[in-house]
Amino acid sequence: MFRDRLAAEFAAFTALSDDQLSLLQQHYELLVHWNQSLNLTRILGIDEAVKLHYCESLFIGQALPMGPLRVADVGSGAGFPGIPLAILRPECTVTLIEAHQRKAVFLRQASRLLSNVRIISDRAESVTSDWDWVVSRAVRPIEVLRFGLAERQALLMSSTDLPGLPEPELVHRVPWGTDRILSMFHVKQD
């Protein structure tokens, strides 16, 4: 059921392979199981999860430039958008940054089959590595931009979060959810 809904919902953007759908379904099943004892998300119903977690995350993955990239997911939580992005784009190296230790344990378990994913269990402002892109959907956009982890940033946000931020290079309306946008920033670092 999850696989079919996800495949159908994202078909307008790209066809997901059987392997990709299997990995995404495994993540969803693990998320539902772990969420019983660790508050990873309030969204667990298949329809909402497909649209608001998986499709939004895959949308970021297809919006990034083609080719191998080093991507950091700030405030990864339950693995969104980083794990679906890593499944969609196996040529990319995705680092999931999560300060909450128990969530980081979940991320390690959830990414065990993904050789292109690594976990940093620390606060983003304490991380000193450098990436091609930063992605995020659960951290305030102004905070993510201030961390300075990459010049290029793709942030899922509400359109009401846009005022007061630097001018994005590109804004995509996200087809799922209400008032959701993907803002692509190029922020010069000092």
Side-chain angles (χ1 to χ4, degrees):
M1 184 184 272
F2 173 87
R3 289 172 63 107
D4 295 339
R5 290 208 179 138
L6 180 56
E9 191 67 38
F10 204 67
F13 299 96
T14 193
L16 297 167
S17 72
D18 284 339
D19 286 344
Q20 289 170 325
L21 288 167
S22 291
L23 289 167
L24 291 163
Q25 181 170 341
Q26 288 172 22
H27 178 263
Y28 173 71
E29 290 170 357
L30 190 66
L31 173 65
V32 169
H33 176 75
W34 275 63
N35 206 62
Q36 294 172 16
S37 58
L38 176 62
N39 184 23
L40 293 165
T41 179
R42 64 173 179 74
I43 299 170
L44 287 175
I46 290 176
D47 287 334
E48 277 190 298
V50 161
K51 293 175 184 177
L52 301 180
H53 285 323
Y54 292 92
C55 285
E56 280 192 355
S57 298
L58 294 166
F59 189 76
I60 291 179
Q62 62 86 37
L64 294 178
M66 296 311 296
L69 300 170
R70 295 169 300 127
V71 180
D73 174 6
V74 172
S76 191
F80 301 110
I83 287 178
L85 189 158
I87 292 169
L88 180 68
R89 301 281 304 273
E91 78 279 11
C92 294
T93 301
V94 180
T95 302
L96 309 178
I97 302 172
E98 176 55 52
H100 188 281
Q101 299 301 309
R102 291 182 66 202
K103 289 180 181 179
V105 171
F106 167 79
L107 293 172
R108 283 187 186 86
Q109 180 70 20
S111 64
R112 70 192 182 286
L113 299 176
L114 304 174
S115 62
N116 62 331
V117 173
R118 73 183 191 115
I119 313 300
I120 294 179
S121 181
D122 204 348
R123 297 182 59 77
E125 57 268 28
S126 301
V127 176
T128 57
S129 290
D130 169 34
W131 290 272
D132 300 317
W133 282 85
V134 165
V135 298
S136 185
R137 69 186 284 265
V139 179
R140 289 183 50 222
I142 191 67
E143 297 301 320
V144 177
L145 294 170
R146 286 183 185 150
F147 295 147
L149 298 174
E151 288 189 3
R152 302 267 181 201
Q153 307 200 21
L155 308 179
L156 268 169
M157 64 177 76
S158 168
S159 62
T160 60
D161 292 331
L162 203 49
L165 296 177
E167 184 70 26
E169 282 188 333
L170 193 58
V171 176
H172 298 282
R173 187 186 137 329
V174 177
W176 307 277
T178 305
D179 205 27
R180 299 286 284 162
I181 58 174
L182 173 61
S183 298
M184 313 282 276
F185 294 92
H186 184 205
V187 180
K188 293 286 185 191
Q189 298 179 11
D190 295 333

